Amino acid sequence: MMAMGPSYRVSFRRRREGKTDYRSRKGLVISGLPRLVARSTLRHMIAQIIQAKPNGDEVVVFAHSGELTKSYGWKGDCGNVSAAYLTGLLCGYRALARDVKRVVLDMGLRSPSKGSRILAALNGVLDAGVEVPHGDDILPDEARVQGQHISDYAKKLSSNLDDYRRRFSQYLERGLQPEQLPEHFFQVKEKIVSSFSKKSERGKRYDVRRKKR
């Protein structure tokens, strides 16, 4: 039965649908900092830096885990913890390139859970050099971020080839042995880091040439 009376107020639609906690959103906006909005789907990870504006939110930086495959040779799943970290790392470097150095984490309606993909994305943003207020005890273990748990599981299954091939069929189709995921993780991470290092060097050389003129 719907409440009635002169003091009754209908909640905002997104609050009724369980999509937005407006009290939490207000606190994030009042902070004056851009928001790191990390969201996960079944197969992908999305990380964005969003700035609140009078006319609505403005997306300053965007990164999608699908870019890892297209641009950096990632052969693992795009929805696992390792991919979430790398997506956050990519988002963090792009944020620094746009001179965004400090943000606040926006988890939406999610509760912090150690080892989650959202916190793995946060870890990537932090390692890129962006400052985000957080507690160190909530960040995922390094071994999990690197995919060591997947590697260990693959080694256990390797004695049963049928189960092994069925469970890791997509990895094998992409040409990646799941036992080698941690090594592959570091290779892709290095590609991301070096790509932005090269951009930074090109920018410095361009600035030097302008000054000489």
Side-chain angles (χ1 to χ4, degrees), residues 2-203:
M2 181 177 288
M4 303 292 288
S7 62
Y8 176 71
R9 295 179 62 185
V10 178
S11 300
F12 291 122
R13 176 180 58 81
R14 290 184 62 86
R15 183 57 180 139
R16 298 197 306 271
E17 294 174 351
K19 294 180 178 180
T20 302
D21 182 343
Y22 284 96
R23 181 176 296 179
S24 175
R25 171 66 66 83
K26 180 180 179 181
L28 293 171
V29 172
I30 289 176
S31 72
L33 295 172
R35 307 193 321 271
L36 166 61
V37 180
R39 299 290 185 267
S40 59
T41 67
L42 289 176
R43 296 185 178 182
H44 288 284
M45 189 72 203
I46 302 168
Q48 302 176 92
I49 305 295
I50 295 179
Q51 181 69 62
K53 299 286 186 179
N55 295 328
D57 288 348
E58 176 185 313
V59 177
V60 180
V61 175
F62 176 86
H64 190 283
S65 58
E67 298 178 70
L68 302 175
T69 301
K70 296 177 181 178
S71 302
Y72 298 99
W74 175 247
K75 298 179 181 179
D77 287 341
C78 288
N80 62 19
V81 173
S82 300
Y85 171 90
L86 293 172
T87 304
L89 186 72
L90 183 59
C91 181
Y93 279 120
R94 286 177 176 171
L96 291 177
R98 296 292 300 273
D99 202 31
V100 178
K101 300 178 181 179
R102 180 177 170 84
V103 301
V104 60
L105 178 63
D106 180 351
M107 297 187 65
L109 299 176
R110 300 286 185 89
S111 298
S113 176
K114 184 178 175 66
S116 70
R117 289 181 289 169
I118 290 178
L119 295 180
L122 166 64
N123 201 352
V125 172
L126 290 167
D127 284 355
V130 179
E131 186 178 349
V132 190
H134 69 286
D136 291 331
D137 57 334
I138 68 170
L139 297 178
D141 296 331
E142 286 189 18
R144 183 173 180 81
V145 167
Q146 297 161 10
Q148 188 61 52
H149 60 298
I150 296 176
S151 176
D152 293 342
Y153 181 52
K155 291 175 182 177
K156 289 181 181 179
L157 278 184
S158 60
S159 59
N160 188 325
L161 287 180
D162 289 339
D163 287 346
Y164 175 85
R165 290 169 180 166
R166 183 170 56 252
R167 176 64 183 82
F168 295 106
S169 60
Q170 293 184 357
Y171 283 82
L172 298 173
E173 287 175 4
R174 300 185 195 110
L176 174 64
Q177 296 291 328
E179 300 92 329
Q180 298 174 355
L181 182 59
E183 292 84 354
H184 181 59
F185 167 85
F186 281 113
Q187 292 171 356
V188 174
K189 179 180 179 180
E190 180 56 33
K191 286 182 181 179
I192 295 174
V193 173
S194 63
S195 68
F196 283 91
S197 297
K198 292 177 181 177
K199 290 178 182 178
S200 177
E201 286 300 320
R202 286 198 297 269

